Amino acid sequence: MLLSAAILVAAGLLSSRTRQEIAQKYIDNATSSAVRQFGGMVDSMTQPLEMAGDWAGSGKLSLNRVDALDDLLFPMLKRDRVLYGISVADTQGRSYYLTAHGDGWRTRWIEDAGSGRESVVRYWDAADQEVSEETEPTTYDPRSRPWFSPALATEEIFWTQPYIFADRDVAGITASIAREVDEGKSQLVVAFDILLTDL
């Protein structure tokens, strides 16, 4: 009986240890896979963001030409559905924001308008044709967002911690990059938003 009990205890301990080792290997493999997928997503975001930064530095991407912003950024958002939104903002507080809206798009242009800040929201259909426009006062200032100032302080791409997006009260992270514009008189920040649920 003692021998049988000892064998049963030993078998139970070995079985428990084996289950723990299998579980640990499964967790390690799942973690490695998730890290690889996240790394791939980061790489896929880095190139378009650096390209948008280069456009900003060369003057192709400019808040002085909103139509050009639409032409450059609509295709970018169409191709990469991981992107939730794209922001372009300068150190004067002007900003442009693009996000998907149904089958089409929604853009928001913000600038100072004499007595305060004004937001112009435009809705677009799937064929990139403007459907409607709304203008209203706003307190939104891109310079207060967590992706703006840190991007100005580095030459690299800056990734935020998770935070709540301003436009629809959802959580996500943002990658941003800054470039000098207007012959060094100002700086422009381009930012890509990703929802945490998509991650």
Side-chain angles (χ1 to χ4, degrees):
M1 285 180 63
L2 287 175
L3 182 60
S4 296
I7 290 171
L8 287 172
V9 168
L13 289 173
L14 286 173
S15 173
S16 175
R17 185 178 301 156
T18 302
R19 281 196 306 270
Q20 287 176 350
E21 288 174 0
I22 290 170
Q24 187 62 49
K25 283 184 181 180
Y26 179 79
I27 291 168
D28 290 346
N29 288 340
T31 301
S32 296
S33 175
V35 167
R36 279 193 306 275
Q37 289 177 14
F38 183 77
M41 188 214 63
V42 167
D43 290 343
S44 74
M45 298 285 287
T46 299
Q47 281 188 329
L49 186 54
E50 288 177 339
M51 183 172 63
D54 291 344
W55 289 342
S58 70
K60 290 180 183 175
L61 191 70
S62 170
L63 290 174
N64 296 325
R65 299 193 324 264
V66 178
D67 291 346
L69 289 172
D70 297 336
D71 292 341
L72 288 169
L73 299 181
F74 280 16
M76 191 174 283
L77 199 62
K78 280 181 190 176
R79 285 189 183 93
D80 194 340
R81 282 307 198 175
V82 172
L83 281 178
Y84 174 74
I86 301 174
S87 296
V88 181
D90 66 12
T91 47
Q92 281 76 48
R94 296 182 302 165
S95 71
Y96 168 94
Y97 184 68
L98 166 66
T99 188
H101 182 80
D103 292 336
W105 315 102
R106 181 172 64 89
T107 60
R108 183 186 66 216
W109 168 257
I110 295 177
E111 66 180 338
D112 286 325
S115 59
R117 298 180 65 72
E118 185 177 81
S119 168
V120 178
V121 177
R122 292 185 177 95
Y123 295 91
W124 308 77
D125 63 19
D128 300 345
Q129 299 300 311
E130 185 176 337
V131 176
S132 65
E133 180 179 303
E134 302 167 358
T135 302
E136 60 186 10
T138 184
T139 58
Y140 178 85
D141 190 330
R143 296 169 292 188
S144 66
R145 302 307 291 163
W147 48 266
F148 189 84
S149 294
L152 298 176
T154 180
E155 295 180 9
E156 305 295 324
I157 291 175
F158 173 77
W159 289 85
T160 67
Q161 295 293 319
Y163 71 103
I164 301 299
F165 293 161
D167 73 323
R168 293 188 191 166
D169 198 30
V170 291
I173 61 173
T174 300
S176 56
I177 192 167
R179 291 290 185 262
E180 286 190 353
V181 294
D182 298 331
E183 299 175 351
K185 297 173 187 170
S186 182
Q187 287 181 291
L188 198 70
V189 177
V190 182
F192 287 180
D193 292 339
I194 308 166
L195 290 179
L196 283 186
T197 52
D198 289 342
L199 294 181

